[in-house]
Amino acid sequence: MKGEKIILGIDPGTTIMGFGLIKVEKNTMTFIQMNELQLKKYDDHYLKLKMIFERTVELIDNYHPDEIAIEAPFFGKNVQSMLKLGRAQGVAMAAGLSRQVPITEYLPKKIKMAITGNGNASKEQVAKMLQSLLKLKTLPKNLDATDGLAAAVCHFYNSGRPEIGKSYTGWEAFVKQNPKKIN
C-alpha cells in the first residue's frame, strides 16, 4: 500500500450533486476540497446526467483520486425520485469506472454512523462533526457538499475492513458482480 491516497466522495443527486475530497497520509486525513454541482436551473434530465458525468470525470482528471466513495440511494416512497437518483448515481459511477477508479457504495445510515456514531444523525450533525474532524473554518450553505465529503471520510474509516459495501474496480468487476437476471 502506498503511503498516500486521495478519496473522492460523492453524494449524487439531480438537483445538487455534492462532492468532497480528502488526502490520506499515514492514517491521517487532510481536507482538500468540497463543493457542489448545481443542477436546479436545468429542466432536461438527460442534460443533468451529462453534466454529472462530465463534472465527475473533471474531478477525477484534476485530482487523480485513488478511490471513490459514493452514497447509495435510499429507498423512498416516490418511485420517480428513486429512478432519477439511481440514474445520477449510475452516471457518477460510470465516470469513475471509465477512468478505472475503484468505487465503493455506502448506505446513508452507514455514512452517518461512521461520522457521528449515530446512523440517524441529521445532515447538520454530520456537517458539524466533519467541521471538527477536518478543522473546517466554515460550512457551505447547502449540506450536499458535506454529504459528499462524509462519504469520503466514511470510506477512510472503513478502509481495510472486510464487507464495507459493494465495490467495483472497473467495468469487468461491475458486470461480474451484477449478472444479468433472466426471467
Side-chain angles (χ1 to χ4, degrees), residues 1-7 22-28 30 32 63-67:
M1 182 178 153
K2 66 181 185 176
E4 175 183 308
K5 73 177 171 182
I6 293 174
I7 302 170
I22 58 172
K23 179 166 66 171
V24 178
E25 289 180 280
K26 298 179 184 171
N27 259 356
T28 302
T30 308
I32 298 175
Y63 292 97
H64 308 288
D66 299 283
E67 298 167 3

Side-chain angles (χ1 to χ4, degrees), residues 85-178:
L85 186 59
R87 287 176 177 167
Q89 183 201 29
V91 167
M93 291 172 73
L97 294 169
S98 75
R99 294 293 198 259
Q100 287 81 44
V101 181
I103 300 166
T104 304
E105 295 178 74
Y106 293 95
L107 292 171
K109 280 186 176 275
K110 176 111 177 165
I111 294 171
K112 291 174 181 181
M113 180 63 92
I115 306 303
T116 68
N118 176 1
N120 295 313
S122 68
K123 283 179 170 275
E124 292 78 16
Q125 290 171 315
V126 170
K128 284 291 188 190
M129 186 59 84
L130 288 171
Q131 186 175 27
S132 174
L133 287 169
L134 296 168
K135 298 168 184 53
L136 305 173
K137 289 184 175 81
T138 59
L139 290 172
K141 186 176 82 169
N142 296 321
L143 299 180
D144 299 272
T146 53
D147 286 351
L149 184 61
V153 173
C154 172
H155 187 65
F156 165 67
Y157 285 151
N158 285 281
S159 290
R161 293 187 186 168
E163 208 55 42
I164 57 175
K166 288 187 179 178
S167 190
Y168 312 110
T169 55
W171 284 115
E172 190 175 310
F174 179 83
V175 170
K176 205 177 276 184
Q177 290 182 36
N178 295 282

Side-chain angles (χ1 to χ4, degrees), residues 33-49:
Q33 185 207 34
M34 73 174 148
N35 210 330
E36 54 197 30
L37 173 62
Q38 288 285 340
L39 299 161
K40 291 177 196 166
K41 59 188 168 204
Y42 304 102
D43 293 329
D44 184 345
H45 183 67
Y46 299 106
L47 176 61
K48 290 179 181 187
L49 295 176

